[in-house]
């Protein structure tokens, strides 16, 4: 079986500079890389507020999935990456607003920091479009 490869962009100028895509769809599989809490102008949303940043990340993921012809209902895995593991509950409370009924598998982890120190969270997602 041969699948086409589709690159999904959200217009971030860093995509071309760094060499990444917001998402990549290969057949029914969609992978969405580390999604930061930024607005269309690249400004950080919700500085100091992990819940607001989590919501922004998921909204960006939702938009990328829709651009790929999919949606949150096809998500099979999420990865919530935090700079402070003590923020896990605030992030997960927002995550479950979107995924309570979908129930993808999840990994929650903490790192020292992101490229932008104002970012408290990044989220990755994988989706498989069912027929």
């Amino acid at each position: 079986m041969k699948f086409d490869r589709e690159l999904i962009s959200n217009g971030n100028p860093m995509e071309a500079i760094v060499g990444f895509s917001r998402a990549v769809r290969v057949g029914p599989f969609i992978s969405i890389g580390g999604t930061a809490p930024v607005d269309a102008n690249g400004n950080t949303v919700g500085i100091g507020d992990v819940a607001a940043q989590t919501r922004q990340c998921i909204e960006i993921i939702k938009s990328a999935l829709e651009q790929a012809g999919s949606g949150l209902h096809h998500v099979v895995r999420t990865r919530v990456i935090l700079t402070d593991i003590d923020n896990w509950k605030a992030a997960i409370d927002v995550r479950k607003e979107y995924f309570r009924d979908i129930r993808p598998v999840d990994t929650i982890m903490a790192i020292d920091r992101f490229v932008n120190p104002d970012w408290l969270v990044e989220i990755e997602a994988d989706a498989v479009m069912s027929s």
Side-chain angles (χ1 to χ4, degrees), residues 31-76:
S31 291
I32 301 170
T35 302
V38 296
D39 63 19
N41 298 316
N43 299 312
T44 301
V45 171
I47 292 176
D49 184 344
V50 74
Q53 289 193 6
T54 300
R55 188 172 320 291
Q56 180 67 11
C57 293
I58 295 173
E59 287 294 329
I60 293 168
I61 289 168
K62 179 181 173 192
S63 178
L65 286 167
E66 290 170 352
Q67 189 177 342
S70 182
L72 291 175
H73 60 286
H74 286 136
V75 172
V76 296

Side-chain angles (χ1 to χ4, degrees), residues 68-128:
S70 182
L72 291 175
H73 60 286
H74 286 136
V75 172
V76 296
R77 170 182 279 288
T78 59
R79 292 170 201 83
V80 178
I81 308 160
L82 300 159
T83 56
D84 181 351
I85 199 65
D86 291 336
N87 285 330
W88 75 271
K89 185 164 181 355
I92 294 309
D93 283 348
V94 173
R95 181 195 173 276
K96 74 181 172 186
E97 291 175 22
Y98 291 87
F99 295 108
R100 182 184 331 265
D101 295 329
I102 302 163
R103 297 182 60 184
V105 298
D106 185 50
T107 301
I108 304 167
M109 64 188 99
I111 62 167
D112 289 334
R113 66 173 287 229
F114 294 108
V115 172
N116 183 326
D118 289 333
W119 300 346
L120 304 174
V121 62
E122 279 195 18
I123 300 177
E124 297 179 344
D126 296 313
V128 178

